[in-house]
Amino acid sequence: MSERRYLLRTFGCQMNEHDSERIAGLLTSDGYVATEEAAEASVVVFNTCAIRENADNRLYGNLGHLRPLKQANPRMRIVVAGCLAQKDGERIQEKAPWVDVVVGTHALPGLLDLLHRAETEGPQMDISEVTEVFPSALPALREVRHHAWVSIAVGCDNACTFCIVPLVRGPQLSRPIGDVLAEVQGLAGGGVVEVTLLGQNVNTYGRDLTMPDSPRRPLFADLLRAVNEVDGLRRIRFTSPHPHDFTPDVIDAMASSDKVCEHIHFPLQSGSDRVLKAMQRSYRRERYLGWLDAIRQSIPDIAVSTDIIVGFPGETEDDFVDTLDVVARARFDQAYTFQYSQRPGTRAATMDDQVSKEVVQERFDRLVALQQAISLERMRQQVGTIVEVLVEGTGRKGRAQGRTRTNRVVHLDGDHAPGDFVQVRIAGAHPHHLDGKPVREPAAVA
Ligand code: 5AD
Ligand code: SF4
C-alpha cells in the first residue's frame, strides 16, 4: 500500500506555527508522511487563526475546495485545528459536515485518538478548555534544524477589548520552569542554536505557578536567566510581551544575559489615551514612551518593533494624529499595522462609532508611509556596521538570508547554509531588509 500522507496548512501567528510542528510530529509518529498535494493526502489539516478579518470565510472557502476531493476519496480525513476550531466548534461541523475532526487549541494532544475514532464513529470534536499536556511536550517535527519555538505559557489574563485571544486561548497557564529548561536543553543538545520563547503575554510568565518548597514564584526574568545558562544555545528571543509587564527585573535580566537578543516587540496599539482606555490597555502614551526610553538606556542598541491598530471604534482624526505623533517620537524599527476588524464575541465589536472602511484605509496609508520612512532611516543607520548574522535559508533572487541579533533581515553574498553564523558588513539599507557582505574572521594567531 502506498504511504499515508498528510497536508498541513498553517494560518496566523507563531503560536500556531509551534502547534503545527506538534501536529506534524503526532502524524509522523503515527506513520504519516508530509505532502503538498491535497489530492494525494489521506489527512488534510487546517491549523486556523481567529484574529484576521474574514478568517472564517477563508476557512469555509478552503473547506469548500476540499469537498469534491473528499467525495472522490471518502477515506480522506479533514481536520480543523487552532483558534477558529476552538471558537466556532459546532458551527464548523454544521457549515461543513464533511469535516471529520474539529480539535481546539487545548485538545491537540488527543488529535490521533480523534482521528482513529473518526474512522469508526464518524465526525469528532474536542474543544474542551483545559490544557492537560502542554503542546510543547508533544513530539515535534521541526522543518528548521537550528531554531525552535518553545511554548512557556498559553492563554492571557488581559482583556483588551479588540482581542479574541482570551476567548479562545483562555486564562494564562504557565509551564513549569523545569519543563521549559529540560526542553531547551534537549533542543540545544540536538543542535538548536536559537530559541523563541512563546506565549500570548510572555512577560507575565510564572504568575500562576508556585515553586516546590518556596513562597516565591518563578518569573519571566528568572526564566530568561536560567535559559541563558543552557550550553550550546547562542540566541534567545521571546514573543509576545505586553509593554506593561516590561518590569525593571525583566530589563535587567535581558541586559545581563548575553544570549538574549537585542530586540523587543513592544505593542503600542494606539497613541491616543482615549483609544487606549477604550481598548482597555493599561498604559497611556507618555508612560509608554517613558518605558521605551528606560529600555533604550539599559540596552542602547536594542531594536524595537510594534503592533498598531488603525480605526478602533470611535477613533477620531485627533486620536489618529496622536498615534502618528507617538510613532514619530518612538522611532520604531518595524511596525505591524492592522486595520481594525470586528471580532464577534469581543467587547469592541459591539461598540458604537465603528469607523468607515474609507477613513480607516486613508489613515492606514498615512501611518504606513510615516513608518516606512522611519524604518528606512533606522536601517540606514546600520550601514557600515559589522554584525553577526544567523543564516536562515535562501531568499528571493537566490541570495542567502538571515537575521541579526536585533532581528533585522540581511541578504548576503556567498554560499551559506541555514544555521551558519557569519560576520557581515552592512552595505545597503531598505525598509525591510539590509544588504551585507561577509567579512573574514581575523585569522587565529598560531
Ligand atoms: N483588529 C485588528 N487588529 C487586531 N489585532 C488583534 N485583534 C485585532 C482586531 N480585532 C492585532 C493587534 C495584536 C496583533 C497580533 O493583532 O495589534 O497585537
Ligand atoms: Fe490579546 Fe495581547 Fe491584549 Fe492578551 S494582551 S488580550 S493576547 S492583545
Side-chain angles (χ1 to χ4, degrees), residues 156 158-160 162-163 165-166 200-201 242 269 281:
C156 177
N158 291 327
C160 304
F162 53 80
C163 184
V165 166
Q200 256 85 37
N201 191 4
H242 190 294
Q269 310 299 2
R281 301 286 287 180

Side-chain angles (χ1 to χ4, degrees), residues 51-52 162-164 240 265 267 269 281 307-309 336 338-343 346:
I51 284 200
R52 297 296 137 79
F162 53 80
C163 184
I164 194 79
S240 219
H265 187 61
Q269 310 299 2
R281 301 286 287 180
D307 289 342
I308 300 170
I309 298 178
Y336 300 92
F338 302 90
Q339 302 196 359
Y340 170 74
S341 86
Q342 272 173 298
R343 303 310 314 156
T346 58

Side-chain angles (χ1 to χ4, degrees), residues 152-210:
I152 63 166
V154 290
C156 177
D157 291 334
N158 291 327
C160 304
T161 52
F162 53 80
C163 184
I164 194 79
V165 166
L167 277 80
V168 290
R169 296 267 179 175
Q172 175 171 292
L173 183 72
S174 301
R175 191 172 174 209
I177 193 163
D179 292 5
V180 176
L181 279 176
E183 184 182 355
V184 176
Q185 280 156 354
L187 289 165
V192 165
V193 289
E194 180 183 62
V195 290
T196 306
L197 308 177
L198 276 185
Q200 256 85 37
N201 191 4
V202 274
N203 45 3
T204 53
Y205 169 81
R207 280 190 195 168
D208 52 307
L209 287 177
T210 48

Side-chain angles (χ1 to χ4, degrees), residues 11 89 107 139 151 168 186-187 217 221 305 393 424 437:
F11 304 87
S151 159
V168 290
L187 289 165
R217 298 174 194 288
S305 56
V424 169
K437 293 190 191 312

